[in-house]
């Protein structure tokens, strides 16, 4: 199961990169508010990393750096905008996702161990 979460985590990061660097006209648009779109995908990625790599809580720092890098890359893409607010939302969401994933992984590990 951990392997599945690891694959999902990396696929979500690739998806975030692709959606962040495509020209605005090629970016899919949903009915959801902009911040909710960010929260959803970045929280999911953090959760997948937390579940897939549960013994490596330090990954939060790498994923926060990833969030910063994505915003900075957008400075070089015509029509895209780097926003501090997007970085803050992404950094908080990914941190929360990793923490929840970590706690879920630890809980299920210990619950299974006690049985």
């Amino acid at each position: 199961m951990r392997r599945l979460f690891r694959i999902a985590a990396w696929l979500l990061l690739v998806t975030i990169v692709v959606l962040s660097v495509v020209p605005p006209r090629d970016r899919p648009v949903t009915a959801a508010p902009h911040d909710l779109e960010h929260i959803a995908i970045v929280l999911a990625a953090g959760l997948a990393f937390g579940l897939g790599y549960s013994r490596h809580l330090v990954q939060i720092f790498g994923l926060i750096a990833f969030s910063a890098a994505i915003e900075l890359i957008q400075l070089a893409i015509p029509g895209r905008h780097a926003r501090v607010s997007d970085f803050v939302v992404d950094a908080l969401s990914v941190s929360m996702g990793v923490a929840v994933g970590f706690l879920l992984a630890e809980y299920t590990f210990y619950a299974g161990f006690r049985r």
Side-chain angles (χ1 to χ4, degrees):
M1 195 64 159
R2 184 170 289 183
R3 183 182 187 118
L4 182 63
F5 285 118
R6 288 178 179 183
I7 292 168
W10 288 105
L11 287 175
L12 283 164
L13 281 193
V14 168
T15 301
I16 290 168
V17 170
V18 169
L19 292 175
S20 298
V21 301
V22 297
R25 70 179 184 284
D26 296 334
R27 183 182 167 273
V29 178
T30 69
H34 176 77
D35 284 344
L36 187 58
E37 290 177 342
H38 275 255
I39 290 168
I41 194 164
V42 178
L43 183 73
L47 185 62
F49 270 96
L51 289 165
Y53 298 95
S54 62
R55 292 189 173 52
H56 305 284
L57 198 54
V58 72
Q59 66 192 314
I60 288 174
F61 300 112
L63 291 168
I64 289 172
F66 170 81
S67 298
I70 288 297
E71 291 303 315
L72 292 173
I73 288 169
Q74 290 182 8
L75 291 172
I77 301 168
R80 297 308 301 252
H81 307 285
R83 296 184 180 123
V84 172
S85 62
D86 285 348
F87 166 70
V88 171
V89 167
D90 292 352
L92 291 173
S93 298
V94 79
S95 298
M96 187 182 318
V98 169
V100 169
F102 180 81
L103 291 173
L104 286 171
E106 290 301 307
Y107 173 76
T108 57
F109 170 77
Y110 288 118
F113 183 71
R114 286 190 295 237
R115 289 184 193 174

